[in-house]
Amino acid sequence: MRWGIDNGLWVLGAATPAEYLRKVADYTLEGVADRIQAPTLVMDAENDAFFRGQPERLQAAMSAAPSTVVTLTEYDGAGEHCHVGATGYSHQVMFDWLDDVSASKRS
């Protein structure tokens, strides 16, 4: 928890935890997700302790975009937030999705 707060303070240039919470509130797709039109990959982690349910909510809100939710699992070593411990695998999933999207655009 301490690292998360310290990292958030550093990333957003906040001086206090209260300022961090005010700044992080600006990072939302509410009110704009329905305007996204590009094909979108939404990555989910089976055991995500921070954003459980958010990938599905985002996909539902992106009504104008062809979107794909991929849930990476503990079995694959990628079930934690940001797929910690399985960066190579999560990148492969992303690149495979990009290949599929690119191929469909060419045909």
Side-chain angles (χ1 to χ4, degrees):
M1 177 76 99
R2 182 180 187 155
W3 176 88
I5 293 171
D6 287 345
N7 187 62
L9 293 170
W10 176 76
V11 167
L12 295 178
T16 66
E19 182 183 8
Y20 164 65
L21 290 175
R22 283 192 298 276
K23 285 184 172 200
V24 81
D26 292 337
Y27 289 87
T28 181
L29 290 174
E30 277 189 47
V32 296
D34 62 327
R35 296 187 301 199
I36 297 170
Q37 296 180 11
T40 305
L41 174 63
V42 181
M43 301 288 284
D44 188 15
E46 180 179 46
N47 303 324
D48 196 316
F50 305 105
F51 299 109
R52 187 170 305 277
Q54 291 297 311
E56 293 81 10
R57 286 184 56 207
L58 176 59
Q59 184 181 38
M62 291 189 310
S63 54
S67 59
T68 304
V69 173
V70 174
T71 300
L72 300 184
T73 66
E74 183 175 346
Y75 177 82
D76 294 319
E80 302 306 321
H81 181 73
C82 291
H83 318 297
V84 173
T87 305
Y89 176 64
S90 63
H91 288 173
Q92 187 61 55
V93 170
M94 291 177 211
F95 292 134
D96 288 347
W97 180 83
L98 285 169
D99 282 345
D100 291 345
V101 169
S102 296
S104 71
K105 295 292 182 193
R106 289 191 296 260
S107 33

